[in-house]
Amino acid sequence: MEKSKVYFTDFRTVAFGDGLPTKLKKLIKKAGIQQIDMDGKFVAIKLHFGELGNISYLRPNYAKAVADVVKELGGRPFLTDCNTMYPGSRKNALEHLECAWENGFTPLTVGCPIIIGDGLKGTDDIAVPVQGGEYVKEAKIGRAVMDADVFISLTHFKGHEMTGFGGAIKNIGMGCGSRAGKTEQHSDGKPSISPEACKGCRKCAKECANNGLIFNPETKKMSVDQNSCVGCGRCLGACNFDAINFDNYNANEVLNCKMAEYTKAVLDGRPSFHISLVVDVSPNCDCHGENDAPILPNLGMFASFDPLALDQACVDACLAATPLPHSQLSDNLASPGFVDHHDHFTNSTPESEWRSCLNHAEKIGLGSRAYDLIVIK
């Protein structure tokens, strides 16, 4: 397969010169976004608005920069994301929009409308066939996402407690799934809780949307209701005591493969373009109501027509970087007896796994892991 092109620029700016939003505009134009016919077309810009309490999500300034370029090309952009399957600030469209507004995303600040892709209650989706899908035959995608003529992903590249990292494929595949679609992707692995390690703090229960966790007031321990649990993994990220583990050893691999297939469903049959910013690389997803210290330095902005090559380029840049001190990653590496996996994402969250996502994405024809990196000053 021919190598894909990935364009890159760092976060350095000249004093009294152009700011980072302008630099982002230059990057995506150099990467060829103008090759897409956007004249009069509806253009979905998929991003994560951030959970309330989390401040590592991408700033609205970056979204406005992308929307401005789309409008320059005659397109009609809108920012979009789909509702979540867990409790929090984004489980229905009303709360989701209020969360976006509070985090700085309004039509005034980003220069375009904001539409929640799967409707008021997360039920406005459409079944989209997955060409070559092995795990998913029809993906449940937010209707507004599929109604767009052109699709652009704007991704905050960071760590993730299950998938190792959250990149373009996760932003698209998981992010564009309706509430039912997200449940389908998460439904292959279910956790168990060690009574010896559980402290009874009940922080995990606050993250469960499906009555999948049960607290025993006599023993003051949590347990899992296997009939109600959907395997979303939110409890795993909430536990500070390593009391929660997934029983299905390949649950993360199956999740990764399903995300790749959902991404293919979103992208097949229409023009798309993809942008990832490796900045504020928190160890966990922006879906958390908090963010820990970054595990890696701010590396730069990447853009490509190929989401798989884009993820691979971001991964390679991250693995070549030096871990930041006083972070989850550096603390793990300094822990007595810790086994160094020589992989920053695995070292940060040893329960996670990311390679299966990129392998499967290439297998089903989503893109190429081989790329040429073109540096833009």
Side-chain angles (χ1 to χ4, degrees):
M1 181 179 291
E2 184 179 352
K3 289 184 178 181
S4 296
K5 294 180 179 180
V6 178
Y7 291 75
F8 166 80
T9 192
D10 60 28
F11 285 115
R12 298 299 301 275
T13 59
V14 179
F16 306 109
D18 291 333
L20 289 175
T22 300
K23 200 172 186 183
L24 176 57
K25 291 181 182 181
K26 291 179 178 179
L27 173 70
I28 62 179
K29 288 178 179 178
K30 287 285 188 179
I33 193 172
Q34 66 276 4
Q35 297 173 24
I36 299 175
D37 177 13
M38 298 190 192
D39 192 24
K41 306 290 179 61
F42 293 118
V43 181
I45 302 174
K46 167 64 180 76
L47 80 166
H48 195 305
F49 298 119
E51 191 67 36
L52 289 182
N54 188 307
I55 58 171
S56 68
Y57 58 87
L58 293 183
R59 294 175 180 173
N61 312 64
Y62 294 117
K64 185 178 187 302
V66 178
D68 285 347
V69 172
V70 170
K71 289 189 289 186
E72 287 177 23
L73 298 173
R76 304 182 65 184
F78 63 95
L79 304 189
T80 191
D81 198 2
C82 289
N83 292 306
T84 62
M85 59 178 283
Y86 52 81
S89 312
R90 298 176 300 121
K91 59 184 178 294
N92 61 65
L94 298 184
E95 294 179 23
H96 205 153
L97 284 172
E98 290 171 353
C99 174
W101 298 338
E102 188 165 338
N103 283 342
F105 297 91
T106 72
L108 181 63
T109 59
V110 300
C112 67
I114 301 171
I115 300 174
I116 303 306
D118 58 344
L120 179 61
K121 298 180 179 180
T123 56
D124 187 15
D125 58 16
I126 183 171
V128 183
V130 180
Q131 297 298 324
E134 297 179 16
Y135 297 84
V136 180
K137 298 306 177 184
E138 287 187 331
K140 302 174 181 68
I141 307 297
R143 186 175 296 274
V145 173
M146 296 309 301
D147 280 346
D149 304 302
V150 179
F151 182 88
I152 296 174
S153 66
L154 176 58
T155 300
H156 173 217
F157 194 93
K158 68 282 184 190
H160 193 276
E161 57 274 19
M162 293 183 71
T163 61
F165 66 83
I169 292 175
K170 187 174 189 304
N171 182 29
I172 302 167
M174 183 61 70
C176 292
S178 65
R179 297 193 79 184
K182 289 179 172 67
T183 301
E184 179 180 34
Q185 291 177 75
H186 275 297
S187 62
D188 276 87
K190 297 185 179 181
S192 61
I193 300 178
S194 166
E196 293 78 16
C198 177
K199 304 297 184 183
C201 67
R202 290 188 271 189
K203 288 184 178 180
C204 56
K206 297 178 182 179
E207 300 292 337
C208 183
N210 306 283
N211 299 315
L213 295 173
I214 302 171
F215 181 73
N216 187 323
E218 295 181 1
T219 62
K220 300 190 183 306
K221 303 290 183 180
M222 299 298 296
S223 63
V224 178
D225 182 339
Q226 295 291 329
N227 293 321
S228 298
C229 174
V230 300
C232 70
R234 292 282 298 175
C235 57
L236 180 68
C239 182
N240 294 330
F241 306 103
D242 298 324
I244 303 176
N245 291 287
F246 271 75
D247 298 329
N248 183 353
Y249 73 94
N250 70 343
N252 289 355
E253 287 86 341
V254 174
L255 169 61
N256 281 332
C257 292
K258 288 183 175 182
M259 286 194 315
E261 295 188 2
Y262 260 67
T263 300
K264 195 166 192 296
V266 171
L267 301 183
D268 273 354
R270 60 177 167 175
S272 66
F273 187 81
H274 310 284
I275 308 156
S276 286
L277 276 62
V278 184
V279 59
D280 296 326
V281 187
S282 52
N284 296 323
C285 182
D286 290 344
C287 293
H288 282 248
E290 81 294 323
N291 57 282
D292 201 5
I295 60 175
L296 297 169
N298 297 342
L299 298 178
M301 301 183 276
F302 298 75
S304 179
F305 285 98
D306 183 340
L308 174 55
L310 183 65
D311 271 357
Q312 185 67 65
C314 291
V315 167
D316 291 342
C318 287
L319 296 184
T322 302
L324 289 177
H326 311 298
S327 68
Q328 177 174 296
L329 173 56
S330 64
D331 286 352
N332 285 351
L333 289 170
S335 298
F338 184 80
V339 178
D340 186 355
H341 298 83
H342 304 288
D343 179 311
H344 294 332
F345 298 113
T346 305
N347 282 339
S348 178
T349 310
E351 300 84 4
S352 68
E353 194 281 325
W354 59 266
R355 288 177 174 80
S356 56
C357 180
L358 304 191
N359 288 335
H360 192 67
E362 188 166 51
K363 180 181 178 182
I364 63 176
L366 186 57
S368 171
R369 296 184 69 175
Y371 64 93
D372 289 320
L373 189 67
I374 300 167
V375 179
I376 305 299
K377 296 297 185 180

